[in-house]
Amino acid sequence: MKWKLDDSMPIWIQLAEQIAQRIVSGVYPMGEKLPSVRELAADANVNPNTMQRALSKLDDDGLTETNRTSGRSVTASVEAINAERKKMAEQQMKRYLEGMAQIGFSNAEAKKMIELGEDEE
Amino acid sequence: MKWKLDDSMPIWIQLAEQIAQRIVSGVYPMGEKLPSVRELAADANVNPNTMQRALSKLDDDGLTETNRTSGRSVTASVEAINAERKKMAEQQMKRYLEGMAQIGFSNAEAKKMIELGEDEE
Amino acid sequence: MKWKLDDSMPIWIQLAEQIAQRIVSGVYPMGEKLPSVRELAADANVNPNTMQRALSKLDDDGLTETNRTSGRSVTASVEAINAERKKMAEQQMKRYLEGMAQIGFSNAEAKKMIELGEDEE
Amino acid sequence: MKWKLDDSMPIWIQLAEQIAQRIVSGVYPMGEKLPSVRELAADANVNPNTMQRALSKLDDDGLTETNRTSGRSVTASVEAINAERKKMAEQQMKRYLEGMAQIGFSNAEAKKMIELGEDEE
DNA sequence: GTGGTCTAGACCACT
DNA sequence: GTGGTCTAGACCACC
């Protein structure tokens, strides 16, 4: 998974979101160590300070924990991760309903479509 | 509604999509004339050739019709527009389900969430 | 009231605390505008970025609100301010009890002393 | 316990206070010998003259006694130590009440808070 | 090596 | 003018 940054939002927020995604989807597994700030920064091609800010947001959100001297690791708390997962799911839902609204579908219609459609797989 | 372009896809495709959206959502109403290529191009801040390519894609898709002498107008065909609307709705749905999958929700779970949640408003 | 900074803690935290104090004690009244970041930074003799970080913490804590273009003002929410006031009072209490403990007084003794003593004024 | 010095007060006063604390809290027990001036000075990373001044203040206060030949020891007088302990307790109390006043609590309120709160442990 | 802090200076959008 | 973001580079404490 590559970093995908645009200028529609502060970079550090986008970084935080994408790292959160990796955590929630298990790319960075629960309890495991994260790459160092400098590594991540180099990988994402941003200034270490910017990456730091992103990570510090994850700390605030309880998704990561930092051990001053020995790096930073993903939280071991299932609750914290599930809370984030739920938050993300709600975002997805909101985006879907808004997208549908823009095409002229009411929330009810949007829901109905999902119930019926997409029965493949 | 402003133009939103990035470099993840050819610009003319993004333009076509966004104009299609405007058509489907009634910004450019059925049967009415579209702004001229030059106007649209200036507004979107792209080269007229690029905009031309976007519009000719809409022609191909049956969403617009060009009349040699009097410019280009939105199709008057309800079917054409509904087809496009349906295509877009399916895209939205697909995007939603994929997004949810990435967070670890199965299609079934994603459907259930939509049925239950988002009852505000 | 002058700024008082030492190197026992990050400067930005000390700044945030001292501004919070000013808010709670009414130096910066509820709903009123705060001096600009640059002003405060100059006054405290720190880099604007450092002051910004302090203020951004106050925003996070709900003690201030920032209006992108027209400056930052103290929250108008009584609850937010009372919550902060309570938090500070608890800190004071904790500091007192710990100080007393270090001199060899139990919590109970420390409480008794406060009840009896200090009847001057 | 480490030495904690700032430039808000003469260093020798801060040293005296911190040694007094150690005496009152039993780190340097009643009647026992103190480390030598040189030792203490080296530990606190100050000039021996400064430390000397701090210790002679303790002598003045009756907390320590110096025996020409055999160094300096903590007083064996319970009264002297209790007096110091009481003085410190009053300082703590004063600091607490002043802190609370600054947040907008009257002395009465500050007392009430201590009576009710902090029932943990 | 790790995370964290601070400064200096530039740039942006908004009004 | 306002707040906010980003970069570059230095320094610190910890192990």
Side-chain angles (χ1 to χ4, degrees):
Chain A
M1 192 212 208
K2 268 302 154 226
W3 302 96
K4 220 166 130 181
L5 305 175
D6 58 59
D7 57 352
S8 67
M9 286 164 58
I11 292 185
W12 64 270
I13 294 186
Q14 302 179 51
L15 293 172
E17 282 178 357
Q18 289 175 39
I19 299 172
Q21 254 229 359
R22 296 180 185 198
I23 289 175
V24 153
S25 63
V27 177
Y28 299 141
M30 276 179 52
E32 296 290 308
K33 275 188 52 176
L34 240 42
S36 82
V37 177
R38 289 159 175 82
E39 261 183 275
L40 286 168
D43 186 40
N45 203 16
V46 298
N47 184 288
N49 282 327
T50 306
M51 183 56 80
Q52 171 106 3
R53 189 158 183 192
L55 290 168
S56 139
K57 180 179 191 311
L58 296 182
D59 280 353
D60 287 350
D61 292 350
L63 236 47
T64 54
E65 283 160 3
T66 140
N67 320 305
R68 204 83 170 138
T69 133
S70 78
R72 185 184 262 107
S73 48
V74 177
T75 181
S77 151
V78 189
E79 296 83 26
I81 297 212
N82 275 345
E84 182 67 19
R85 181 178 277 121
K86 191 180 163 207
K87 212 182 85 192
M88 284 181 176
E90 272 158 7
Q91 260 178 20
Q92 290 290 340
M93 220 164 71
K94 189 170 157 227
R95 199 176 58 149
Y96 170 65
L97 292 175
E98 279 171 357
M100 293 296 280
Q102 215 168 16
I103 320 177
F105 290 90
S106 72
N107 277 9
E109 287 169 325
K111 286 185 193 182
K112 191 157 265 167
M113 273 211 59
I114 275 253
E115 288 175 40
L116 307 175
E118 190 70 28
D119 277 332
E120 63 203 76
E121 272 171 293
Chain B
M1 192 214 209
K2 274 288 137 254
W3 301 96
K4 220 165 130 181
L5 306 176
D6 58 58
D7 56 354
S8 68
M9 288 164 53
I11 291 189
W12 65 272
I13 294 187
Q14 302 179 50
L15 292 171
E17 282 179 357
Q18 290 175 39
I19 299 172
Q21 252 227 359
R22 295 179 184 200
I23 291 174
V24 154
S25 63
V27 175
Y28 300 142
M30 276 178 52
E32 298 289 310
K33 277 186 54 176
L34 277 181
S36 78
V37 177
R38 277 181 199 69
E39 265 183 276
L40 286 168
D43 187 40
N45 204 15
V46 299
N47 187 292
N49 287 326
T50 308
M51 183 57 79
Q52 173 65 38
R53 189 155 181 195
L55 291 166
S56 82
K57 178 178 191 312
L58 295 181
D59 282 352
D60 289 349
D61 292 350
L63 275 175
T64 54
E65 286 160 0
T66 125
N67 320 307
R68 262 279 193 223
T69 68
S70 73
R72 183 183 265 107
S73 50
V74 177
T75 181
S77 152
V78 189
E79 295 80 25
I81 296 213
N82 274 345
E84 181 66 17
R85 179 179 278 122
K86 193 180 164 208
K87 207 183 88 196
M88 285 182 176
E90 273 159 5
Q91 259 178 21
Q92 290 290 340
M93 221 165 69
K94 190 172 156 226
R95 197 176 58 148
Y96 169 66
L97 292 174
E98 280 172 354
M100 293 295 281
Q102 213 169 14
I103 319 176
F105 290 88
S106 71
N107 277 9
E109 286 169 325
K111 286 186 191 180
K112 191 156 261 167
M113 270 212 61
I114 273 250
E115 288 175 38
L116 306 175
E118 190 69 27
D119 279 332
E120 64 202 72
E121 268 172 296
Chain C
M1 191 212 209
K2 271 300 154 229
W3 301 96
K4 221 165 129 181
L5 306 176
D6 58 58
D7 57 352
S8 68
M9 286 165 57
I11 292 186
W12 65 270
I13 293 186
Q14 302 181 50
L15 293 171
E17 281 178 358
Q18 290 176 38
I19 299 172
Q21 255 229 357
R22 297 179 183 198
I23 289 175
V24 152
S25 63
V27 176
Y28 299 141
M30 276 179 52
E32 297 289 308
K33 275 186 56 175
L34 240 42
S36 82
V37 178
R38 289 160 176 80
E39 262 183 275
L40 286 168
D43 186 40
N45 203 16
V46 298
N47 184 287
N49 281 326
T50 306
M51 181 57 79
Q52 170 106 3
R53 189 159 183 192
L55 291 167
S56 138
K57 180 180 191 309
L58 296 183
D59 281 353
D60 288 350
D61 292 350
L63 236 46
T64 54
E65 282 160 4
T66 138
N67 319 305
R68 203 85 171 137
T69 130
S70 78
R72 184 185 262 107
S73 46
V74 177
T75 182
S77 152
V78 189
E79 296 82 28
I81 296 212
N82 276 343
E84 182 66 19
R85 180 178 277 122
K86 192 181 162 206
K87 211 182 86 194
M88 285 182 176
E90 273 159 6
Q91 261 178 19
Q92 290 289 339
M93 221 165 70
K94 192 172 155 223
R95 198 176 57 148
Y96 169 66
L97 292 174
E98 280 173 355
M100 293 296 281
Q102 216 168 14
I103 320 178
F105 290 89
S106 72
N107 276 10
E109 287 169 324
K111 286 186 192 181
K112 192 155 261 166
M113 271 211 60
I114 273 250
E115 288 175 39
L116 307 176
E118 190 68 28
D119 279 332
E120 61 199 80
E121 270 170 295
Chain D
M1 192 212 208
K2 273 290 136 251
W3 302 95
K4 221 165 128 182
L5 306 176
D6 58 58
D7 55 354
S8 68
M9 288 164 55
I11 291 188
W12 65 271
I13 294 188
Q14 303 179 52
L15 293 171
E17 283 178 357
Q18 289 174 41
I19 299 171
Q21 252 226 0
R22 296 180 185 199
I23 290 175
V24 152
S25 63
V27 177
Y28 300 143
M30 275 177 53
E32 298 289 312
K33 275 186 53 177
L34 278 181
S36 78
V37 176
R38 276 181 198 70
E39 264 183 276
L40 286 168
D43 187 40
N45 204 14
V46 299
N47 187 293
N49 286 327
T50 308
M51 183 56 80
Q52 173 65 36
R53 189 157 182 193
L55 290 168
S56 84
K57 178 176 190 312
L58 296 181
D59 282 354
D60 289 349
D61 293 349
L63 275 176
T64 54
E65 288 160 1
T66 125
N67 320 307
R68 264 278 194 224
T69 68
S70 75
R72 183 182 267 106
S73 51
V74 177
T75 181
S77 151
V78 188
E79 296 80 24
I81 296 213
N82 274 345
E84 181 66 18
R85 180 179 277 122
K86 192 178 164 210
K87 209 181 87 194
M88 285 182 176
E90 272 158 7
Q91 258 179 20
Q92 290 290 340
M93 220 164 69
K94 188 169 157 228
R95 198 175 59 147
Y96 169 66
L97 292 174
E98 280 172 355
M100 293 295 281
Q102 214 169 14
I103 320 177
F105 290 89
S106 71
N107 277 10
E109 287 170 324
K111 287 185 192 181
K112 191 156 262 166
M113 271 211 60
I114 275 251
E115 289 175 38
L116 307 176
E118 190 70 27
D119 278 331
E120 65 204 71
E121 271 172 294

